[in-house]
Amino acid sequence: GNEESEEEALSEAIPTATLAELYVRQGLIDRAISVYLTLKKHGPTNPDIHKRLSELFVMKSQRERS
């Protein structure tokens, strides 16, 4: 279906918080985390990134338990 081309477009997109949140909404926590990890490399002092990453790791662990 359409998903492939959309996926390709997303993977080519610049990793941003907006993209990460899109992944979160789709339930793609791992992808969201990797986007934030990339963001963290570019902005290691940004507290928002650290906060969001820790929230995502919690979400991920809760998912894996259920």
Side-chain angles (χ1 to χ4, degrees):
N2 263 351
E3 285 105 300
E4 286 88 38
S5 56
E6 206 173 297
E7 286 286 348
E8 276 164 23
L10 277 178
S11 67
E12 282 164 17
I14 301 156
T16 61
T18 310
L19 179 65
E21 293 309 315
L22 259 175
Y23 285 144
V24 173
R25 279 208 292 278
Q26 292 170 9
L28 302 169
I29 306 293
D30 286 326
R31 285 199 187 187
I33 287 172
S34 66
V35 171
Y36 276 111
L37 288 173
T38 305
L39 288 174
K40 197 173 84 165
K41 274 184 219 148
H42 298 294
T45 56
N46 186 331
D48 294 334
I49 294 173
H50 289 277
K51 181 170 174 281
R52 195 63 182 131
L53 265 172
S54 58
E55 288 167 358
L56 290 174
F57 280 119
V58 169
M59 280 170 74
K60 183 172 145 68
S61 64
Q62 284 170 345
R63 278 219 176 151
E64 284 165 359
R65 270 209 302 274
S66 60

